[in-house]
Structures are given as C-alpha cells and as structure tokens.
Amino acid sequence: MSTSDEELTWREIEVGAIFTVPGTTADYQTGDWRSQAPSYNFDRCIKCGICQLYCPEGCVGQDEDGYFIADLYWCKGCGICARECPTGVITMVEETE
Amino acid sequence: MGRKVGIEVSIAISEAVKLANADVVAAYPITPQTHIVEHLAELVASGELDAEYIPVESEHSAMSACLGAAATGARAFTATAGQGLELMHEVLYVASSMQLPVVMVVANRALSAPINVWGDHSDMMAVRDTGWVQIVVENGQEAVDNVLCAFCIGEDKRVLLPVMVHIDGFHLTHVVEPIVLPDQADVDDFIPPNEYPLPLDPARPVTMGSFGPPVIYPEIKKRQDVVLRESKEVILENWQRFGEAFGRYYHPVEQYRAEGAKTLLMTMGSTSETAMDAVDRMRDQGMSVGLLKLRLWRPFPFEELLQAVRDADLLVVVDRAISFGGPAGPFCSEVKAALYNQDKKPKVMGFVAGLGGRDIPVGGFEAMVHRGMEIAEKGGGEILETYGVRE
Amino acid sequence: MQNYTVFVPRLVPKKEPFAPGHRACIGCGEALAVRLACKAFPPNTIVANATGCMEVISSQYPMTAWRVPWIHVLFENTAAIASGIEAALKAMARKGLRPDDGTKVVAMGGDGGTSDIGLQALSGALERGHDLLYICFDNEAYMNTGIQRSSATPFGASTTTSPSGIKSIGQKTWKKNMAAIAAAHDIPYVATASHSYPHDLMAKVAKGIAVPGPAYIHILSVCPTGWRSAPDLSIRLGRLAVETGVFPLYEIEDGEYKMSLELPKLRPVEDYLNLQGRFRHLSEDTIKEIQERVVAEYERIKEKTG
C-alpha cells in the first residue's frame, strides 16, 4: 500500500481503505520543509541523548561513534534540539539553496 | 427445525441474536426498541448469551462501540429507533465506509417534532444513503429470519458491510406472534464464523479510518458503492441458503397476487399485511390489483422491480415518510427514478400515509388505489397526495 | 527531576511506534507528546484516535505513521470506540476467538475531542469502568481547524473565535479542569503530564495502561502555530507552564493526590505568558488576575496532596 496515491484505482483499495503496512510515513520526506538545519560541534557532546528525546519527529539517531545526529530526510528544522542541548553542541544554521 | 412459540417480536429478535452468538451488544434505551435490548441484557445476565453488554450513554456511542468491537473482529449487534438512529447518523456512514459489519435492528419510528414514539419510516428514509444494507420485514418471523441472514450477509468477505433490519415500531415490536425459533445447531450450521480479514491486532498492525484527501476520496467512495451494489448477489445467495435450510424464502421484491395485475400497490414493512387484505377484497370485486412489497431497500433491487412491474399500467406507492418540499415520498421517488428511463413503464402515483403510527386500515389501501386510478385516468392530483390526513 | 532527565535519556525505549515522516507542524509539542507516550506502550497496544491534528498528520492516505494497530472513526466518539474494542477483546478472549494476550487499549484525542465534543462519550467510558487509558493531548484550542477556542483554552488567550480587541480580553473563561472531571468518576488513575518532562510522562502512561480499569492522562502539548511561539521554545514553554504553576503535574491514584514535582517557589506567570503571541495583548491587571488564579489553583491542588 505504499504505491503513490495518485496511481491507485478504486479496484486496488483494500477492504475499508485499511492500510496493512505500518509506519509508511517513514518514506515521506519532511526534511524539505526545513529553513534551518542543525549543525554539530561534537567536541562538547556528552552523548546524553536529550536532543533525541525531545525531537518531535523522532528523527535523531546515533552515528557509529555514538554521537546523536538528526536525519535530515525528516528533520523539519524546529531547533528544539539546539535549544535544549545542555552543552551547546548544536547551532541552527540557515539552509541555502 | 425449531420450535413455534407465541412470543413478542422484540423478544424473538433478541433470541435470534442469541442464536447468532453475538460477542458484543452495545445498547441505549429508546422506545419502541427497548424490549430488544432489555431481553438481550437478561440473556447476558443469565449466561444464556456469552457476550459483553455495553450499556452506553447514547446511541452515538452505541454505534461507535459496535464499530470498535467489529474492528477488533467481534460480532456486534445493536438496536435503535427514530431519534436514536438520527443521533447515530454520522457514525452510520463511517460503519459502511470502513466496512465494519455490524448488525442493527431498527424499530422504525417517527421523527420529532412533535415527539412521537410510534412507527413510520422517517428514520429509515433519512439513513438510506449511509451505505448500509437495509432489509425491511413485515412480521416477526421475517424479523427473526432476517436477523440471522444479516450476520451472514454483512460478515461475508465479499460484502463486509453493516446491515439494518427494519421492523415497524409497535406494529411489530410490541405484538405477540407465533414465531418459529430455529434450533441452535441449525443456526450454527447456517451462520459461518465471523472472520474479519484485517482486525485491530498487535500481531499485524493496521491503520483504519485514515485521512482521505481529494486525490483518493473518489476512488474510495466508488469502491464502496460497487461493494454495496454487488452485495445483492450475496444477499440473494443467503436468502436461498436460508430457504433451503429453514423452508422460508425471501426476495428483494415480494409479490402478492401480482401476476398479471394492471394496478400494483407497493408497500414496505408491516402495513403490507393490511395491504394484502385490501388486495383480496379488490380481487374479489373483480379488480386487477396486486401487491409488491419491497423487502430490500438497499441495495435497491432495480432488476427485480422492473421484472415485477412489467405487466402493470399503474403503481400506487405508499410511503410512510415525507420528503418535505420534495417530489414525493422517498419510496415513491426512488421507484419513479428506477423506471424513468424505461421505454415501457407504468404510471406511478404516490401517497403518504400512516405517519407517526396512524393506522392505515384495509379500506385505506382501497381508497388509495381508487384515488390513484382516478388521477392516472383524469390527471390532476396534488404534488403530495396524502391519505388519512384531516383537511 | 531535571537532572534526572539529563542523565538517563539513553535508558528510554528506542522503539518508535509513531514513525517519522508525519506531517505535524515544525516544533509540534503534541507530536512529541504522542511519540513519547507511544514509547511507553506495552507491546500489545491498540490505539483509538479522535479526529484532530494527530489523526490528520499521521494517516494521510495512503501513508501511516502508526506501527501499532490504530483506528480513527470520528471526532466525539473515541472513548466509545475504545470501549467497543475493550469489550470485544474481553468477549473474544473468553470465547476462544482470539488469544488472551493482555492486549491494551489506549484512546486519544485533543482538548476539543476530549473536553468539548467528546466529553459525553468519555464520561460514559470512564463511568462504565472499561479497562483503557484515555489520553488528552491538550494544545488548548482547535488547532487543526485554525486555532478556535475550546473549553480548554486558557483565560485571556486570543484565538480566532476568542480574539482580543477593544472590547475583549480574548478567552473570557477559565480553562476547564478535565483532570478533576475525570477524577470525579472515581476512576483508579488520573494524571497530568507534559512532554517537557518525558520520563514523568512515560511513567504515567505506563502506569495508566497497567492499572486495571479506566485511567485518564491530561498532557499539555505546546502548539507553536496556535500559541504563536517560536518552534524551538516548545520544550521550554512546557517546562515554564509547570514551573509557573499554570499546569501543575500531579497524579490522583485511587483518589489520592500526589504532586509529581516539588516546586519550592512558583515562577511568575509572565515568564510563561510573555513567550506567546496569544497573550501579547494582556494588560498588567489581567496578568495579575491570572497570577492570582494560578497561585490559588496550585495551592488548592497542593492542599489535596495533604
């Protein structure tokens, strides 16, 4: 059911228009809503994970070194992580075209 | 094959729900439906029916709780009437759109104001476009039989739609009739287990009732309409199966002395029994009059209607509801619409009668037939012809 | 408690039953509150969701943000839908139609769906004693339809249907106390929570689900769009609502009140109000009136904690 909704015909719709595949919005890019993006100075990072906890998108993951970093595919650039980071690792920078 | 008992129709309907082994009953009291849900409460309290009985705080919640139950895969039942059906109105659309096969008995009742607890078809007509299968019965036996069929029809994987069984308030709900209650074993054989294909289940998470923007809404609605139209085949199949199992057969358009009749009365519900007496009298007087009783209101039985009226010159359609400011009673309007594009079609005269529980006596049907014939012959007539209203 | 929050985020469940890619506004506190609540769900949880922001942003055809079984039916009937689900689970388990796997039911709605149009259905569900948790995600107005006032909109807030003007201070009524209404049903568990206190929120959700019978949790959810606040301030605003006493965090367990957070001293309400455009028009007198009311209400709840 993750076919584009513009292609679906009435015959392809599931019983009761029910979706059977969970969590398909993960394919949907909300990152292009962003006007500013988080930028990281990991020197100060204590890997507390506050940024991950408070992210409304749930888009903050950990890299292989254990640093927390937003996935820009979904990050809408709200700046909550930057505001809440206790050690000032994150600054929000304007996106450029 | 069952036992014949003298029983109030409402009680018999509850017994049918017990025989169908419903899992969840959600109900709110409203006259004239109360005896159904009261008796169901007794059956649950005595352990005769193993179900959860939810005494909800409104009809809106009664239907909603049934949807929650049906979405979980349970067999859900409720009953209501008049204002209760109206309070459910928006939930009814969702039930059919989300394809949740609830069964509901509607004890047809007039709508306020003035408040009136007696029977007519205003409530049934107000919900005709909600996407439910709607079956209309004329006596207690038909009510019991069709409640059993309703579970089979609604839960069939080709259908998965909610079903209303309409019984006229008081004229049916509160009368004692001799009714055959089928044996449990036969009902168990007749009604397959309810296996909703995509229930709410943590093992297989589904999303139900999503947001449908313009890019997909028309496709979803088209599909819903096709499913309801095509449900007629499953309805016919189940009525046939019921007939073979229990010896009583049902059809979308029931005929009474209609073969070759030039004038056909058309009725729905309990007044059909009175209309049969009227037809007998008129036949005795040598008039070529028969009766068509509409059993299946949704999906509308177009083919069966055309077949049934092919030899008639005049249809006299009796509505127990008004479409205020509209073309005729809703029943009559639909019959007219169904025939309009036919090359050969009878004239159609509509009457509104029996509102708010007002009796239509045998003579009333005769009078409507005579008046219908007169208008058909001479022309004239009111936009809304009523019978039995004091001028 | 804040220190506690700093050092244990890594212990928070990693699972995200509420997937990214949802279409909530930038900096949406309600989406965060939902995300956190979902983390506290036991594995077998079914969600019934009222019409509102969360339904719209999470389920636009043909995509879903939900990784748990989820149903939306209408605006005002979610508690009744959840009642039906709970009853069905019980009946079906008893009749052997479905495994008795301890599946839990969570109903959720916004402040409109809970304290206005859905209040009757909610009251019915709480009174009947269904084993379910109802969560109100309260962003204090009908945000999805364009910031119209609800009975949960705070006194003085300017919304599109309670606009401030020469003859209006904005919302003329005090916020309806939904937690007290829920508690009046004598249900086993009632709590208030905030997305700015995630561990407290998750613990309360877990408790609300675990407790047999009905539970109600009221979560203040900051809405930058409707509150006219900066998106990055959503967490700070949630915290300020608590620290000023505007939105006290407490639990009512079997009728016993318990403060979730000891505040030696309340911050002035201006700290909270001044960050929001919806309160920008308030006069000093009105702010004073709000301040007095907040303190009195806070003391009233504190007294109940004995």
Side-chain angles (χ1 to χ4, degrees), chain C residues 206-279:
Chain C
K207 203 189 264 186
I209 292 174
V211 72
Y216 176 86
I217 301 180
H218 197 94
I219 304 182
L220 185 71
S221 308
V222 176
C223 172
T225 308
W227 296 14
R228 284 176 276 149
S229 55
D232 63 326
L233 292 182
S234 292
I235 308 304
R236 175 172 290 191
L237 273 169
R239 211 179 279 132
L240 284 168
V242 173
E243 291 173 356
T244 54
V246 166
F247 190 82
L249 297 184
Y250 57 94
E251 290 175 294
I252 312 169
E253 269 185 274
D254 296 319
E256 298 286 321
Y257 278 69
K258 196 176 122 201
M259 281 305 208
S260 308
L261 194 60
E262 289 305 326
L263 296 171
K265 190 168 172 293
L266 296 181
R267 293 175 70 145
V269 290
E270 285 98 323
D271 290 2
Y272 174 66
L273 302 179
N274 288 347
L275 294 174
Q276 304 172 56
R278 62 177 174 159
F279 295 118

Side-chain angles (χ1 to χ4, degrees), chain B residues 21-24 49-52 54-58 60-75 87 90-91 94 98 100 194 199-213 215-216 220, chain C residues 43-47 55-56 58-61 63-77 80-92 94-95 97-98 101 103 120-125 127-128 130:
Chain B
N21 195 12
D23 303 316
V24 174
L49 170 61
D50 186 2
E52 284 294 309
I54 316 179
V56 284
E57 82 298 330
S58 71
H60 196 282
S61 284
M63 183 47 58
S64 301
C66 283
L67 296 201
T72 313
R75 179 169 289 163
L87 187 58
E90 63 160 351
V91 197
V94 185
M98 289 176 71
L100 298 170
N194 179 24
L200 293 166
D201 179 4
R204 201 168 48 141
V206 293
T207 289
M208 290 183 173
S210 64
F211 184 70
V215 72
I216 198 68
I220 294 175
Chain C
N44 293 340
T45 303
I46 294 172
V47 174
E55 160 265 325
V56 171
S58 70
S59 76
Q60 184 157 328
Y61 206 95
M63 288 181 169
T64 176
W66 297 94
R67 289 168 173 150
V68 290
W70 182 89
I71 183 169
H72 157 256
V73 176
L74 287 164
F75 199 178
E76 70 277 47
N77 66 347
I81 295 289
S83 302
I85 297 170
E86 185 257 8
L89 290 171
K90 247 199 251 177
M92 293 176 79
R94 197 169 60 226
K95 294 167 95 167
L97 298 170
R98 157 175 219 296
D101 55 4
T103 295
Q120 175 180 318
L122 174 60
S123 176
E127 171 271 324
R128 291 189 300 268
H130 296 279

Side-chain angles (χ1 to χ4, degrees), chain A residues 10-32:
Chain A
W10 68 265
R11 289 172 204 280
E12 292 169 294
I13 289 163
E14 191 61 81
V15 165
I18 294 169
F19 308 159
T20 54
V21 184
T24 46
T25 55
D27 296 337
Y28 185 69
Q29 185 177 358
T30 49
D32 52 9

Side-chain angles (χ1 to χ4, degrees), chain B residues 128-148:
Chain B
R128 67 183 170 170
D129 292 332
T130 56
W132 286 53
V133 172
Q134 290 180 277
I135 296 168
V136 187
V137 303
E138 65 183 70
N139 61 41
Q141 187 67 62
E142 293 187 0
V144 165
D145 295 351
N146 279 284
V147 164
L148 298 176

